[in-house]
Amino acid sequence: MKAAGWMLVTAPTAEPLSVLAAKEHLRVDSDDEDFLIADYITAARMQCEELTSRAFLMQTWDAAFTGWPGAEGFILPRPPLASVTSIQYTTSDRQVHTLSENVYQ
């Protein structure tokens, strides 16, 4: 079952390419465009992640599902998955519960 919605909770703390490396490739000597180049690096990473449906750097996502999966399990967005913080579910009486870690893998 695919996620019905998902939201970025914690963005990556660094980018896969430094501004210095990008400036060397672009042959830019001044520091005038550093913020613009940094924004371009972030935008390029985000676009590539969107196109490939993969996460290139460590980040935290919150995924929401509209039901309980069958044998196929949950299909989590943006692999590869490093860890699961918690699995919470809402029952028909609108009570929120946290699934025990020893129940899933």
Side-chain angles (χ1 to χ4, degrees):
M1 170 181 286
K2 289 187 177 183
W6 42 305
M7 179 178 65
L8 181 64
V9 176
T10 307
T13 58
E15 292 298 339
L17 178 69
S18 70
V19 171
L20 180 61
K23 286 172 61 175
E24 288 175 1
H25 175 76
L26 296 168
R27 296 185 177 99
V28 173
D29 295 325
S30 74
D31 297 335
D32 297 343
E33 306 295 331
D34 283 6
F35 289 112
L36 180 62
I37 293 169
D39 286 346
Y40 285 162
I41 292 168
T42 300
R45 179 205 29 98
M46 291 173 66
Q47 182 67 28
C48 290
E49 286 179 337
E50 188 67 29
L51 289 171
T52 62
S53 297
R54 300 192 62 83
F56 296 162
L57 301 167
M58 186 68 70
Q59 45 199 279
T60 303
W61 288 87
D62 186 12
F65 298 86
T66 58
W68 202 256
E72 78 277 6
F74 291 112
I75 300 171
L76 298 173
R78 301 282 170 110
L81 178 67
S83 67
V84 174
T85 304
S86 69
I87 297 177
Q88 295 181 321
Y89 60 95
T90 305
T91 55
S92 59
D93 60 354
R94 299 187 189 266
Q95 296 293 317
V96 177
H97 303 276
T98 301
L99 193 63
S100 175
E101 292 180 12
N102 61 359
V103 177
Y104 61 89
Q105 55 180 331

XYZ file of all heavy atoms in Angstrom:
819
model
N 0.844 -1.173 0.000
C 0.000 0.000 0.000
C 0.893 1.241 0.000
O 1.786 1.374 0.813
C -0.888 -0.020 1.250
C -1.623 1.265 1.476
S -2.647 1.264 2.956
C -3.972 0.244 2.398
N 0.636 2.131 -0.947
C 1.397 3.378 -1.036
C 0.846 4.426 -0.090
O -0.320 4.408 0.262
C 1.357 3.911 -2.466
C 2.161 3.091 -3.447
C 2.212 3.772 -4.782
C 3.094 2.971 -5.733
N 3.233 3.630 -7.025
N 1.709 5.351 0.288
C 1.317 6.439 1.182
C 0.329 7.361 0.472
O 0.521 7.719 -0.681
C 2.538 7.222 1.631
N -0.729 7.726 1.193
C -1.708 8.674 0.660
C -1.165 10.096 0.723
O -1.536 10.948 -0.071
C -3.006 8.563 1.446
N -0.307 10.337 1.658
C 0.329 11.642 1.795
C 1.586 11.513 2.622
O 1.715 10.597 3.417
N 2.516 12.406 2.395
C 3.743 12.401 3.173
C 4.306 13.799 3.223
O 4.072 14.617 2.358
C 4.731 11.376 2.683
C 4.902 11.241 1.202
C 3.930 11.000 0.280
C 6.102 11.314 0.467
N 4.465 10.917 -0.967
C 5.804 11.103 -0.886
C 7.421 11.533 0.822
C 6.762 11.110 -1.884
C 8.372 11.533 -0.175
C 8.036 11.314 -1.498
N 5.015 14.062 4.336
C 5.511 15.409 4.585
C 6.945 15.331 5.117
O 7.258 14.501 5.968
C 4.603 16.085 5.619
C 5.016 17.481 5.983
S 3.876 18.248 7.151
C 4.105 17.230 8.586
N 7.778 16.217 4.625
C 9.155 16.301 5.107
C 9.154 16.887 6.511
O 8.606 17.965 6.746
C 9.997 17.168 4.173
C 11.464 17.328 4.535
C 12.200 15.998 4.469
C 12.122 18.340 3.613
N 9.751 16.164 7.453
C 9.835 16.617 8.844
C 11.192 17.261 9.101
O 11.280 18.352 9.659
C 9.609 15.441 9.821
C 9.798 15.876 11.254
C 8.230 14.840 9.606
N 12.260 16.590 8.694
C 13.620 17.093 8.891
C 14.377 16.989 7.568
O 14.578 15.881 7.057
C 14.361 16.290 9.976
O 13.583 16.270 11.155
C 15.719 16.894 10.259
N 14.782 18.113 7.038
C 15.519 18.147 5.775
C 16.968 17.723 6.003
O 17.467 17.749 7.132
C 15.465 19.554 5.192
N 17.676 17.349 4.942
C 19.091 17.025 5.080
C 19.875 18.205 5.656
O 19.517 19.366 5.421
C 19.533 16.737 3.647
C 18.290 16.366 2.926
C 17.205 17.167 3.567
N 20.933 17.906 6.383
C 21.735 18.961 6.998
C 22.864 19.436 6.096
O 23.536 20.421 6.417
C 22.334 18.470 8.332
O 23.117 17.301 8.078
C 21.229 18.152 9.328
N 23.093 18.760 4.992
C 24.140 19.138 4.044
C 23.670 18.750 2.647
O 22.643 18.093 2.503
C 25.452 18.438 4.384
N 24.404 19.144 1.657
C 24.091 18.778 0.275
C 25.177 17.848 -0.258
O 26.287 17.811 0.284
C 23.980 20.032 -0.592
C 22.788 20.907 -0.268
C 21.447 20.216 -0.482
O 21.371 19.228 -1.227
O 20.459 20.685 0.108
N 24.871 17.088 -1.306
C 25.859 16.135 -1.837
C 27.033 16.800 -2.546
O 28.041 16.161 -2.827
C 25.050 15.282 -2.808
C 23.889 16.126 -3.185
C 23.601 17.002 -2.001
N 26.910 18.088 -2.815
C 27.950 18.838 -3.512
C 28.175 20.147 -2.766
O 27.218 20.839 -2.435
C 27.498 19.129 -4.956
C 28.424 19.940 -5.842
C 29.672 19.138 -6.174
C 27.706 20.351 -7.115
N 29.418 20.473 -2.496
C 29.708 21.729 -1.795
C 29.660 22.900 -2.771
O 29.822 22.728 -3.984
C 31.090 21.663 -1.148
O 32.109 21.689 -2.145
N 29.441 24.071 -2.239
C 29.459 25.283 -3.057
C 30.840 25.451 -3.682
O 30.960 25.821 -4.858
C 29.058 26.522 -2.225
C 29.282 27.806 -3.005
C 27.608 26.419 -1.775
N 31.886 25.154 -2.918
C 33.250 25.273 -3.443
C 33.457 24.368 -4.657
O 34.004 24.798 -5.676
C 34.269 24.942 -2.346
C 35.742 25.019 -2.751
C 36.097 26.435 -3.203
C 36.629 24.591 -1.610
N 33.007 23.122 -4.564
C 33.153 22.188 -5.697
C 32.359 22.674 -6.905
O 32.831 22.585 -8.045
C 32.713 20.793 -5.283
N 31.154 23.189 -6.668
C 30.339 23.703 -7.767
C 31.013 24.917 -8.407
O 31.032 25.045 -9.636
C 28.947 24.063 -7.260
N 31.562 25.790 -7.577
C 32.242 26.972 -8.106
C 33.460 26.582 -8.936
O 33.721 27.198 -9.974
C 32.644 27.909 -6.965
C 31.471 28.658 -6.385
C 31.831 29.431 -5.136
C 32.886 30.473 -5.368
N 33.131 31.304 -4.167
N 34.203 25.581 -8.517
C 35.346 25.116 -9.300
C 34.883 24.597 -10.657
O 35.493 24.889 -11.683
C 36.108 24.038 -8.533
C 36.898 24.560 -7.362
C 37.559 23.461 -6.548
O 37.424 22.271 -6.911
O 38.200 23.788 -5.537
N 33.795 23.822 -10.649
C 33.263 23.283 -11.908
C 32.764 24.403 -12.820
O 32.975 24.370 -14.026
C 32.127 22.294 -11.620
C 31.460 21.804 -12.853
N 32.032 20.861 -13.677
C 30.266 22.138 -13.416
C 31.222 20.626 -14.692
N 30.140 21.392 -14.555
N 32.118 25.398 -12.220
C 31.561 26.514 -12.986
C 32.602 27.582 -13.341
O 32.303 28.508 -14.089
C 30.425 27.174 -12.192
C 29.215 26.294 -11.923
C 28.311 26.949 -10.887
C 28.470 26.021 -13.216
N 33.789 27.455 -12.749
C 34.871 28.434 -12.934
C 34.449 29.817 -12.438
O 34.670 30.835 -13.095
C 35.334 28.468 -14.388
C 35.944 27.150 -14.837
C 36.498 27.234 -16.246
N 37.122 26.005 -16.626
C 36.537 25.064 -17.376
N 35.326 25.239 -17.829
N 37.189 23.960 -17.679
N 33.838 29.820 -11.244
C 33.431 31.070 -10.597
C 34.460 31.389 -9.525
O 34.728 30.561 -8.655
C 32.022 30.932 -9.969
C 31.661 32.161 -9.155
C 30.985 30.677 -11.055
N 35.043 32.588 -9.569
C 36.090 32.966 -8.626
C 35.580 33.798 -7.452
O 36.134 33.750 -6.367
C 37.201 33.744 -9.346
C 37.926 32.884 -10.365
O 38.098 31.669 -10.103
O 38.315 33.418 -11.422
N 34.555 34.582 -7.658
C 34.084 35.470 -6.588
C 33.090 34.754 -5.682
O 32.581 33.677 -6.008
C 33.422 36.712 -7.188
O 32.160 36.386 -7.713
N 32.835 35.371 -4.525
C 31.869 34.828 -3.571
C 30.487 35.462 -3.731
O 29.578 35.165 -2.960
C 32.362 35.056 -2.130
C 33.660 34.324 -1.851
O 33.923 33.310 -2.527
O 34.402 34.768 -0.958
N 30.332 36.319 -4.726
C 29.082 37.066 -4.910
C 27.870 36.170 -5.135
O 26.760 36.520 -4.742
C 29.197 38.035 -6.094
C 30.249 39.100 -5.874
O 30.662 39.289 -4.699
O 30.669 39.734 -6.862
N 28.065 35.034 -5.753
C 26.942 34.156 -6.125
C 26.840 32.909 -5.245
O 26.116 31.981 -5.583
C 27.086 33.726 -7.590
C 27.230 34.870 -8.575
C 25.980 35.734 -8.651
O 24.876 35.214 -8.420
O 26.120 36.942 -8.926
N 27.525 32.873 -4.112
C 27.542 31.672 -3.263
C 26.142 31.224 -2.833
O 25.827 30.039 -2.884
C 28.414 31.879 -2.029
C 29.896 31.778 -2.349
O 30.258 31.665 -3.539
O 30.692 31.815 -1.392
N 25.304 32.170 -2.409
C 23.962 31.797 -1.952
C 23.121 31.276 -3.112
O 22.358 30.318 -2.946
C 23.264 32.973 -1.266
C 23.862 33.305 0.073
C 24.558 34.488 0.262
C 23.752 32.424 1.140
C 25.117 34.793 1.490
C 24.308 32.719 2.378
C 24.993 33.908 2.555
N 23.263 31.872 -4.272
C 22.528 31.421 -5.448
C 22.975 30.021 -5.862
O 22.146 29.149 -6.146
C 22.716 32.401 -6.601
C 22.008 32.060 -7.911
C 20.494 32.036 -7.712
C 22.384 33.061 -8.994
N 24.277 29.792 -5.868
C 24.805 28.475 -6.222
C 24.345 27.427 -5.211
O 23.946 26.318 -5.579
C 26.347 28.516 -6.336
C 26.754 29.378 -7.537
C 26.930 27.111 -6.441
C 28.227 29.717 -7.609
N 24.343 27.765 -3.925
C 23.852 26.840 -2.894
C 22.385 26.500 -3.132
O 21.977 25.340 -2.999
C 24.051 27.444 -1.513
N 21.592 27.507 -3.495
C 20.171 27.267 -3.795
C 20.011 26.363 -5.012
O 19.135 25.493 -5.038
C 19.435 28.583 -4.028
C 19.180 29.360 -2.746
O 19.330 28.782 -1.641
O 18.840 30.563 -2.855
N 20.848 26.550 -6.023
C 20.795 25.694 -7.211
C 21.138 24.245 -6.857
O 20.525 23.317 -7.383
C 21.752 26.202 -8.294
C 21.306 27.433 -9.034
C 22.211 28.195 -9.746
C 19.976 27.855 -9.023
C 21.817 29.334 -10.440
C 19.571 28.990 -9.712
C 20.495 29.720 -10.422
O 20.108 30.838 -11.107
N 22.129 24.051 -5.994
C 22.522 22.699 -5.582
C 21.351 22.017 -4.870
O 21.019 20.867 -5.163
C 23.773 22.738 -4.682
C 25.001 23.186 -5.481
C 24.020 21.377 -4.031
C 26.202 23.527 -4.622
N 20.721 22.738 -3.955
C 19.574 22.178 -3.232
C 18.427 21.864 -4.187
O 17.829 20.779 -4.118
C 19.096 23.154 -2.136
O 20.168 23.368 -1.216
C 17.894 22.602 -1.387
N 18.133 22.777 -5.083
C 17.043 22.566 -6.043
C 17.329 21.367 -6.949
O 16.425 20.570 -7.237
C 16.832 23.827 -6.880
N 18.573 21.211 -7.372
C 18.938 20.082 -8.230
C 18.778 18.761 -7.478
O 18.240 17.788 -8.023
C 20.376 20.249 -8.726
N 19.235 18.723 -6.232
C 19.077 17.493 -5.434
C 17.612 17.155 -5.254
O 17.183 16.016 -5.447
C 19.748 17.624 -4.073
C 19.558 16.347 -3.250
C 19.621 16.487 -1.762
N 19.246 17.700 -1.139
C 18.038 17.930 -0.590
N 17.078 17.038 -0.668
N 17.795 19.077 0.016
N 16.816 18.154 -4.892
C 15.393 17.917 -4.665
C 14.697 17.438 -5.943
O 13.859 16.528 -5.894
C 14.726 19.185 -4.132
C 15.165 19.531 -2.717
S 14.556 21.134 -2.137
C 12.809 20.821 -2.075
N 15.047 18.010 -7.068
C 14.453 17.595 -8.346
C 14.856 16.161 -8.684
O 14.016 15.361 -9.118
C 14.879 18.548 -9.464
C 14.269 18.221 -10.807
C 12.769 18.422 -10.861
O 12.215 19.240 -10.136
N 12.096 17.690 -11.719
N 16.106 15.816 -8.475
C 16.564 14.448 -8.748
C 15.897 13.447 -7.807
O 15.529 12.350 -8.226
C 18.083 14.365 -8.643
S 18.944 15.225 -9.973
N 15.730 13.819 -6.534
C 15.032 12.948 -5.599
C 13.584 12.744 -6.035
O 13.061 11.630 -5.970
C 15.074 13.531 -4.180
C 16.417 13.417 -3.513
C 16.439 14.013 -2.120
O 15.607 14.887 -1.794
O 17.309 13.596 -1.336
N 12.947 13.805 -6.499
C 11.558 13.715 -6.954
C 11.451 12.816 -8.190
O 10.566 11.964 -8.278
C 11.021 15.117 -7.260
C 9.558 15.167 -7.556
C 8.674 14.839 -6.366
O 9.079 15.092 -5.216
O 7.575 14.317 -6.593
N 12.357 12.991 -9.142
C 12.322 12.201 -10.375
C 12.604 10.724 -10.135
O 12.066 9.865 -10.822
C 13.316 12.767 -11.388
C 12.947 14.111 -12.002
C 14.108 14.667 -12.813
C 11.695 13.984 -12.859
N 13.474 10.417 -9.163
C 13.854 9.032 -8.907
C 13.057 8.394 -7.770
O 13.165 7.193 -7.535
C 15.350 8.931 -8.559
O 15.610 9.678 -7.360
C 16.216 9.438 -9.699
N 12.275 9.210 -7.049
C 11.520 8.742 -5.862
C 12.447 8.102 -4.833
O 12.121 7.097 -4.215
C 10.418 7.761 -6.268
O 9.478 8.387 -7.090
N 13.618 8.679 -4.670
C 14.603 8.173 -3.717
C 15.171 9.337 -2.912
O 15.179 10.461 -3.372
C 15.735 7.442 -4.429
C 15.227 6.251 -5.242
C 16.302 5.341 -5.724
N 17.079 4.702 -4.698
C 16.722 3.601 -4.042
N 15.568 3.051 -4.265
N 17.531 3.050 -3.162
N 15.648 9.033 -1.720
C 16.324 10.029 -0.888
C 17.825 9.861 -1.076
O 18.347 8.760 -0.938
C 15.945 9.845 0.575
N 18.515 10.929 -1.400
C 19.961 10.872 -1.594
C 20.717 11.128 -0.299
O 21.880 10.763 -0.189
C 20.401 11.884 -2.647
C 19.856 11.613 -4.027
C 19.849 12.605 -4.977
C 19.349 10.373 -4.379
C 19.367 12.369 -6.254
C 18.858 10.122 -5.651
C 18.868 11.131 -6.591
N 20.062 11.770 0.671
C 20.692 12.113 1.939
C 19.745 11.760 3.083
O 18.535 11.616 2.876
C 21.011 13.612 1.988
C 21.937 14.131 0.891
C 21.910 15.645 0.862
C 23.344 13.629 1.110
N 20.281 11.667 4.288
C 19.470 11.363 5.467
C 18.445 12.463 5.697
O 18.788 13.641 5.712
C 20.377 11.216 6.692
C 19.654 10.772 7.936
S 19.027 9.083 7.844
C 20.550 8.167 7.904
N 17.183 12.074 5.854
C 16.095 13.004 6.095
C 14.955 12.265 6.775
O 14.907 11.044 6.737
C 15.631 13.659 4.790
C 15.459 12.694 3.632
C 15.449 13.390 2.292
O 14.426 13.918 1.904
N 16.568 13.388 1.581
N 14.056 13.000 7.411
C 12.951 12.389 8.135
C 11.635 12.761 7.468
O 11.384 13.943 7.200
C 12.927 12.869 9.609
O 14.185 12.557 10.202
C 11.826 12.189 10.389
N 10.810 11.743 7.213
C 9.518 11.931 6.556
C 8.404 11.376 7.432
O 8.589 10.399 8.156
C 9.493 11.202 5.213
C 10.330 11.872 4.179
C 11.659 11.685 3.951
C 9.907 12.853 3.243
N 12.087 12.488 2.931
C 11.021 13.213 2.471
C 8.684 13.456 2.977
C 10.962 14.153 1.461
C 8.615 14.387 1.959
C 9.750 14.731 1.213
N 7.238 11.982 7.320
C 6.026 11.500 7.979
C 5.099 11.025 6.862
O 4.715 11.824 5.998
C 5.385 12.632 8.783
C 4.213 12.184 9.619
O 4.012 10.959 9.766
O 3.488 13.056 10.125
N 4.766 9.733 6.851
C 3.910 9.158 5.806
C 2.557 8.803 6.394
O 2.468 8.311 7.515
C 4.570 7.916 5.209
N 1.496 9.058 5.639
C 0.140 8.741 6.076
C -0.487 7.753 5.100
O -0.338 7.888 3.885
C -0.699 10.009 6.149
N -1.188 6.767 5.633
C -1.855 5.744 4.829
C -3.337 5.741 5.172
O -3.724 6.038 6.302
C -1.234 4.372 5.111
C 0.217 4.291 4.745
C 1.197 4.702 5.640
C 0.607 3.829 3.502
C 2.534 4.646 5.299
C 1.946 3.776 3.154
C 2.918 4.183 4.050
N -4.170 5.379 4.207
C -5.623 5.430 4.416
C -6.206 4.117 4.910
O -7.392 4.035 5.163
C -6.341 5.827 3.116
O -5.998 4.880 2.097
C -5.952 7.227 2.698
N -5.410 3.099 5.055
C -5.902 1.801 5.509
C -4.768 0.926 5.978
O -3.619 1.359 6.071
N -5.090 -0.313 6.294
C -4.081 -1.278 6.733
C -3.724 -2.140 5.544
O -4.610 -2.624 4.840
C -4.637 -2.114 7.880
C -3.554 -2.725 8.700
C -3.161 -4.025 8.679
C -2.719 -2.069 9.647
N -2.122 -4.217 9.547
C -1.836 -3.031 10.161
C -2.610 -0.758 10.097
C -0.864 -2.729 11.110
C -1.652 -0.461 11.037
C -0.801 -1.436 11.533
N -2.439 -2.363 5.281
C -2.050 -3.093 4.070
C -2.306 -4.595 4.203
O -2.378 -5.141 5.297
C -0.550 -2.805 3.964
C -0.123 -2.675 5.378
C -1.278 -1.997 6.086
N -2.392 -5.224 3.064
C -2.468 -6.681 3.026
C -1.067 -7.254 3.037
O -0.153 -6.706 3.658
N -0.880 -8.316 2.312
C 0.405 -9.023 2.281
C 1.535 -8.170 1.702
O 2.701 -8.403 2.003
C 0.259 -10.313 1.481
N 1.198 -7.178 0.872
C 2.242 -6.368 0.240
C 2.930 -5.422 1.220
O 3.997 -4.914 0.947
C 1.671 -5.564 -0.939
C 0.875 -4.318 -0.563
C -0.582 -4.561 -0.183
O -1.005 -5.717 -0.086
O -1.302 -3.569 0.022
N 2.302 -5.153 2.367
C 2.893 -4.266 3.357
C 2.798 -2.812 2.940
O 2.151 -2.461 1.957
N 3.436 -1.960 3.716
C 3.473 -0.534 3.409
C 4.605 -0.271 2.433
O 5.714 -0.770 2.602
C 3.736 0.296 4.675
C 2.598 0.295 5.650
C 2.719 -0.337 6.866
C 1.409 0.933 5.350
C 1.683 -0.330 7.785
C 0.368 0.951 6.258
C 0.499 0.316 7.469
N 4.347 0.529 1.430
C 5.386 0.976 0.512
C 5.750 2.388 0.966
O 4.972 3.324 0.822
C 4.906 0.965 -0.947
C 4.512 -0.461 -1.338
C 5.984 1.517 -1.868
C 3.830 -0.564 -2.683
N 6.923 2.498 1.564
C 7.336 3.767 2.155
C 7.980 4.668 1.114
O 8.713 4.202 0.242
C 8.292 3.519 3.313
C 7.684 2.724 4.464
C 8.739 2.388 5.489
C 6.547 3.504 5.105
N 7.720 5.960 1.212
C 8.287 6.899 0.247
C 9.778 7.108 0.461
O 10.286 6.939 1.554
C 7.514 8.198 0.527
C 7.042 8.069 1.935
C 6.844 6.598 2.179
N 10.447 7.443 -0.621
C 11.842 7.857 -0.608
C 12.816 6.857 0.014
O 13.490 7.159 0.989
C 11.989 9.205 0.088
C 11.186 10.336 -0.536
C 11.878 10.859 -1.770
N 11.032 11.770 -2.499
C 11.238 13.073 -2.587
N 12.237 13.628 -1.983
N 10.424 13.816 -3.300
N 12.917 5.647 -0.541
C 13.930 4.730 -0.033
C 15.323 5.281 -0.329
O 15.444 6.193 -1.147
C 13.668 3.441 -0.815
C 12.971 3.882 -2.052
C 12.219 5.131 -1.692
N 16.385 4.778 0.271
C 16.405 3.646 1.194
C 16.023 4.072 2.613
O 16.338 5.173 3.052
C 17.849 3.175 1.145
C 18.633 4.407 0.820
C 17.731 5.243 -0.079
N 15.370 3.184 3.305
C 14.920 3.449 4.660
C 16.036 3.142 5.649
O 16.614 2.062 5.626
C 13.696 2.585 4.970
C 13.118 2.698 6.371
C 12.523 4.080 6.574
C 12.071 1.627 6.592
N 16.342 4.083 6.531
C 17.372 3.878 7.553
C 16.757 3.368 8.845
O 17.316 2.508 9.511
C 18.146 5.164 7.811
N 15.597 3.900 9.224
C 14.938 3.474 10.455
C 13.493 3.937 10.465
O 13.115 4.829 9.708
C 15.671 4.025 11.684
O 15.538 5.430 11.736
N 12.708 3.318 11.338
C 11.317 3.724 11.553
C 11.227 4.251 12.975
O 11.590 3.554 13.920
C 10.345 2.537 11.358
C 8.922 2.923 11.736
C 10.410 2.018 9.928
N 10.766 5.478 13.126
C 10.628 6.081 14.454
C 9.442 5.486 15.191
O 9.554 5.092 16.349
C 10.468 7.610 14.344
O 11.583 8.117 13.607
C 10.416 8.260 15.702
N 8.306 5.413 14.505
C 7.113 4.800 15.105
C 6.073 4.557 14.031
O 6.120 5.157 12.957
C 6.520 5.690 16.203
O 5.968 6.853 15.639
N 5.142 3.659 14.339
C 3.969 3.433 13.499
C 2.762 3.680 14.388
O 2.585 3.007 15.408
C 3.933 2.004 12.922
C 5.133 1.778 12.009
C 2.614 1.776 12.180
C 5.233 0.372 11.457
N 1.981 4.671 14.009
C 0.772 4.993 14.765
C -0.435 4.736 13.877
O -0.364 4.911 12.661
C 0.780 6.451 15.220
C 1.882 6.753 16.209
C 1.865 8.204 16.662
O 1.620 9.096 15.867
N 2.103 8.409 17.944
N -1.522 4.324 14.492
C -2.744 4.087 13.741
C -3.937 4.589 14.544
O -3.891 4.697 15.766
C -2.909 2.610 13.389
C -2.977 1.687 14.578
C -4.211 1.289 15.095
C -1.818 1.209 15.187
C -4.290 0.442 16.199
C -1.888 0.369 16.288
C -3.124 -0.008 16.784
O -3.193 -0.839 17.873
N -4.996 4.923 13.823
C -6.214 5.435 14.438
C -7.316 4.397 14.267
O -7.567 3.941 13.142
C -6.636 6.766 13.785
O -5.540 7.673 13.850
C -7.838 7.372 14.483
N -7.969 4.036 15.347
C -9.058 3.059 15.307
C -10.368 3.756 14.936
O -10.433 4.986 14.859
C -9.199 2.340 16.661
O -9.353 3.329 17.682
C -7.969 1.488 16.955
N -11.415 2.974 14.705
C -12.703 3.538 14.289
C -13.293 4.489 15.329
O -14.080 5.365 14.992
C -13.699 2.419 13.971
O -13.881 1.600 15.115
N -12.899 4.335 16.594
C -13.382 5.258 17.628
C -12.454 6.467 17.791
O -12.507 7.177 18.789
C -13.575 4.535 18.960
C -12.302 3.913 19.498
O -11.275 3.936 18.787
O -12.331 3.394 20.626
N -11.583 6.679 16.793
C -10.671 7.828 16.703
C -9.592 7.863 17.789
O -9.059 8.915 18.098
C -11.443 9.140 16.672
C -12.377 9.248 15.479
C -12.979 10.626 15.395
N -14.016 10.668 14.392
C -13.831 11.040 13.135
N -12.646 11.378 12.722
N -14.843 11.064 12.305
N -9.257 6.717 18.334
C -8.167 6.616 19.304
C -6.864 6.344 18.551
O -6.825 5.479 17.671
C -8.438 5.476 20.305
C -9.658 5.700 21.169
C -9.471 6.867 22.116
O -8.420 7.033 22.721
N -10.504 7.694 22.229
N -5.818 7.083 18.896
C -4.512 6.904 18.260
C -3.681 5.952 19.110
O -3.563 6.130 20.324
C -3.782 8.255 18.087
C -2.403 8.044 17.485
C -4.612 9.194 17.227
N -3.107 4.932 18.464
C -2.286 3.932 19.137
C -0.939 3.837 18.430
O -0.838 4.105 17.238
C -2.961 2.559 19.103
C -4.324 2.549 19.702
N -4.545 2.424 21.048
C -5.547 2.671 19.119
C -5.843 2.456 21.288
N -6.483 2.609 20.130
N 0.089 3.452 19.164
C 1.409 3.220 18.596
C 1.650 1.722 18.541
O 1.525 1.028 19.551
C 2.505 3.905 19.435
O 2.231 5.316 19.465
C 3.872 3.684 18.832
N 1.990 1.224 17.360
C 2.252 -0.195 17.155
C 3.567 -0.579 17.822
O 4.572 0.128 17.682
C 2.306 -0.488 15.659
C 2.263 -1.941 15.218
C 0.942 -2.590 15.616
C 2.461 -2.028 13.714
N 3.560 -1.664 18.545
C 4.766 -2.140 19.228
C 5.849 -2.487 18.217
O 5.566 -3.085 17.165
C 4.423 -3.368 20.089
O 5.610 -3.895 20.642
N 7.087 -2.128 18.512
C 8.213 -2.377 17.602
C 8.456 -3.854 17.338
O 9.004 -4.223 16.321
C 9.489 -1.755 18.152
C 9.471 -0.252 18.150
C 10.756 0.333 18.706
O 11.748 -0.397 18.879
O 10.769 1.542 18.983
N 8.046 -4.727 18.257
C 8.299 -6.164 18.057
C 7.256 -6.809 17.142
O 7.327 -8.002 16.883
C 8.371 -6.904 19.408
C 7.083 -6.815 20.192
O 6.133 -6.190 19.748
N 7.066 -7.438 21.362
N 6.314 -6.040 16.618
C 5.275 -6.566 15.736
C 5.639 -6.405 14.261
O 5.126 -7.114 13.415
C 3.918 -5.858 16.040
C 2.832 -6.332 15.102
C 3.520 -6.063 17.473
N 6.551 -5.502 13.954
C 6.904 -5.263 12.547
C 8.410 -5.354 12.360
O 9.170 -5.332 13.299
C 6.378 -3.899 12.079
C 6.915 -2.699 12.829
C 8.080 -2.071 12.417
C 6.261 -2.184 13.942
C 8.580 -0.981 13.078
C 6.746 -1.077 14.609
C 7.904 -0.480 14.176
O 8.390 0.611 14.836
N 8.790 -5.483 11.085
C 10.215 -5.541 10.765
C 10.525 -4.616 9.602
O 9.696 -4.281 8.835
C 10.637 -6.963 10.425
C 9.834 -7.596 9.314
C 10.305 -9.000 9.022
O 11.450 -9.322 9.220
N 9.421 -9.828 8.560
